[in-house]
Amino acid sequence: MQYRKLRCQLKYLASYLDLDPRGNQVVRRTDFKRCPRPVLLLHGFFSTRRVLEVLEHRLRREGYCVWSIHLGGTMDRFNTHRIDELARKVRGKVDRLYERHPEMGPLTIIGHSKGGLIGTYYVKRLGGDARVRSLITLGTPHRGTRMAYLGCATLGWFSRSMWQLTPVSPFIKRLGEGAFPRHVRLTSIYSRDDVIATYPSSVLDVDGQPNVFNVELSGVPHGELLTRRAVWEVIQRELALGYADD
C-alpha cells in the first residue's frame, strides 16, 4: 500500500513538471523603452518559462510589459538552485534592466510555487521593495510544504532548494520573520485542492499587515493556477490595485 501510494504521488507530481529542454527558449517581445507597467514572471521548481505562456499572453493583451528570467538549474534549466541564490540573480537582472531603462515604471512580480518564494526573498531580504510595487504569488508554500519531503527523498541529492521548501527548514523560518515591507502589496492566491503546496502552506500571516492578503479559490490544482480563468480574474484585480496610484 505504501509503495502504491508513493507511485501515485510521484505520478501526480510528474504531471506538473515541464522537462522540455527547449522550454527556456522564448522570444523577447517587450519594448522596455515604453514600459510603464512592467510585470516579471517567475516559474516554479523543475519547470521552465514555457509554463508561463498563457499568463504572459493574457498580460500582454492587457497592455502590461511582461518578461521572465532564465533561472537555470540542473543542465542549465528546471529551476533547481537554492531560493536565495535565485533571488540574488533576480536582483541583478532587475537592477541592470532599470539601469538601462530608468524610465520604466514600478515593478510587479508574479511567482508560481517556488517562484513566489524567490520573489518574496528578493523583496523582503534583498532590497527589492525599492523597485517592486506588488508581489502576487500562486500556490506558493510560504510556510513550506509536506510534499517537499517526497522531493527530498527523490530529488534532494542534487537540488538543495528541496530542503529549503520543507515546513521545518531554517530558510522558511527565517523568511517568515519580521513584517513584509509596508509599501509593497503582497497577495497569496491559493487553493485547498492544491496537493503540491498543500493547505495551509500558502496562507500568509496577515495580522497587523494591511498590505498582505490571502485569496482562496476552490477546485484549482497546482498547475492550473497559471491558466484558470478564475485565477486570471483575481490577478487582474490585484494588478489594478497595485497600480492604482498611477
Side-chain angles (χ1 to χ4, degrees):
M1 287 294 295
Q2 291 296 324
Y3 173 71
R4 195 175 300 173
K5 183 178 179 181
L6 179 60
R7 282 186 59 189
C8 289
Q9 288 178 321
L10 287 172
K11 184 177 180 180
Y12 194 86
L13 179 61
S15 68
Y16 293 114
L17 305 181
D18 177 22
L19 305 181
D20 187 347
R22 298 165 298 177
N24 284 308
Q25 299 173 9
V26 300
V27 178
R28 178 178 291 181
R29 298 185 176 91
T30 298
D31 181 4
F32 293 107
K33 295 180 181 178
R34 292 184 291 273
C35 191
R37 297 184 299 171
V39 178
L40 170 61
L41 304 180
L42 299 174
H43 60 81
F45 177 79
F46 238 69
S47 294
T48 63
R49 291 192 280 181
R50 187 181 65 172
V51 302
L52 305 169
E53 286 180 344
V54 172
L55 181 56
E56 179 179 351
H57 174 73
R58 287 171 170 169
L59 288 163
R60 201 176 299 281
R61 187 179 58 196
E62 295 297 319
Y64 293 97
C65 302
V66 191
W67 58 297
S68 59
I69 291 175
H70 176 31
L71 297 173
T74 301
M75 297 181 290
D76 195 37
R77 49 187 174 267
F78 305 141
N79 191 3
T80 56
H81 289 319
R82 291 176 57 92
I83 297 168
D84 47 326
E85 292 176 2
L86 292 170
R88 292 185 181 92
K89 182 173 186 176
V90 168
R91 179 180 62 181
K93 294 278 189 177
V94 170
D95 286 349
R96 286 192 292 273
L97 187 61
Y98 273 89
E99 288 171 3
R100 291 196 298 268
H101 305 284
E103 70 282 359
M104 282 176 54
L107 182 64
T108 292
I109 296 178
I110 302 177
H112 178 239
S113 196
K114 176 186 172 182
L117 288 174
I118 296 170
T120 301
Y121 193 90
Y122 165 58
V123 172
K124 193 173 181 179
R125 299 288 184 236
L126 299 180
D129 56 312
R131 305 280 193 196
V132 177
R133 172 68 58 81
S134 59
L135 170 62
I136 303 169
T137 67
L138 310 174
T140 292
H142 293 282
R143 305 184 183 194
T145 173
R146 295 189 301 273
M147 281 297 289
Y149 293 122
L150 176 60
C152 290
T154 55
L155 306 172
W157 60 277
F158 68 87
S159 174
R160 295 301 303 170
S161 67
M162 271 288 98
W163 302 94
Q164 291 180 310
L165 291 167
T166 63
V168 298
S169 78
F171 174 84
I172 287 292
K173 291 181 179 179
R174 287 195 299 268
L175 187 58
E177 294 173 354
F180 198 74
R182 292 297 182 98
H183 55 283
V184 180
R185 184 181 180 90
L186 171 61
T187 303
S188 174
I189 303 174
Y190 69 93
S191 173
R192 298 191 189 215
D193 297 281
D194 185 342
V195 302
I196 305 299
T198 52
Y199 179 83
S201 66
S202 295
V203 179
L204 293 162
D205 181 11
V206 300
D207 291 343
Q209 300 185 87
N211 59 316
V212 178
F213 306 90
N214 292 296
V215 179
E216 181 180 348
L217 295 173
S218 61
V220 185
H222 190 69
E224 293 182 24
L225 286 162
L226 287 167
T227 58
R228 283 282 188 96
R229 172 65 61 174
V231 182
W232 166 237
E233 291 172 353
V234 176
I235 291 173
Q236 282 183 297
R237 184 192 71 195
E238 290 300 316
L239 285 166
L241 291 169
Y243 284 114
D245 291 342
D246 294 338

